[in-house]
Amino acid sequence: MSRRELIRVVNSPEQLAPALTWVVDMAAKALPAGPVQITLGRQKRSLDQNAKLWPMLTDVSKQVEWYGQHLSPEDWKHVFTASLTKQRAVPGIDGGFVVLGQPTSRMTKEVFSQLIELIYAFGAEHNVRWSEQSDQSLYELRNAA
């Protein structure tokens, strides 16, 4: 059985020493049962951010024709994330191209906020009218952390 523990250090170097002490104590307690993995990372996107993304992508999908076609919300997600993270494309096995890059599930809150800002900017350039779900304040999302 695998058990995960989480400790968060927020903008305070004073929190670092007690956090590291806690990590060492937890690892020492867990070692008798087998190897321990310790992971360091940034907080991922919030549920509110993710909930906002799909209505925005749907609004763009319904209202913007892209090179003669209407793309699905999923297709637009690939277009926007490719633009944001400067992804690269490689030839597909049977033709066409495959975009390589970061999925939104691995984005930090900050990067996800940048993605939402990018979609808003694109929408403004293409006269997208945002639905009520899409129109939630970006300021609220940034401060939902």
Side-chain angles (χ1 to χ4, degrees):
M1 184 167 126
S2 175
R3 181 174 160 205
R4 291 180 174 247
E5 294 287 339
L6 173 67
I7 188 165
R8 209 159 127 193
V9 177
V10 182
N11 298 329
S12 174
E14 296 81 31
Q15 292 178 337
L16 194 53
L20 291 175
T21 300
W22 179 84
V23 169
V24 169
D25 290 345
M26 292 299 290
K29 289 177 186 174
L31 276 174
V36 173
Q37 178 176 319
I38 299 169
T39 304
L40 178 67
R42 303 245 183 248
Q43 191 170 9
K44 302 291 186 227
R45 68 181 182 189
S46 71
L47 294 177
D48 287 339
Q49 286 177 313
N50 194 52
K52 181 177 184 60
L53 175 67
W54 290 102
M56 292 182 76
L57 294 172
T58 299
D59 289 345
V60 172
S61 175
K62 289 177 179 177
Q63 298 175 47
V64 176
E65 185 176 299
W66 194 244
Y67 292 93
Q69 57 185 317
H70 284 274
L71 304 178
S72 71
E74 183 73 24
D75 290 339
W76 277 111
K77 182 178 97 165
H78 294 300
V79 170
F80 288 123
T81 58
S83 175
L84 180 69
T85 61
K86 308 300 181 230
Q87 295 174 350
R88 57 196 172 106
V90 296
I93 294 171
D94 295 324
F97 288 91
V98 178
V99 176
L100 308 173
Q102 179 187 25
T104 56
S105 61
R106 294 188 187 156
M107 288 183 178
T108 63
K109 284 184 173 188
E110 180 182 353
V111 172
F112 207 93
S113 288
Q114 293 170 3
L115 175 63
I116 290 171
E117 285 182 28
L118 172 67
I119 298 170
Y120 270 133
F122 179 88
E125 292 172 3
H126 291 84
N127 301 314
V128 171
R129 291 185 192 183
W130 301 113
S131 62
E132 189 175 326
Q133 297 99 330
S134 297
D135 212 16
Q136 180 183 355
S137 168
L138 185 58
Y139 176 80
E140 290 174 25
L141 287 174
R142 282 187 176 153
N143 293 310

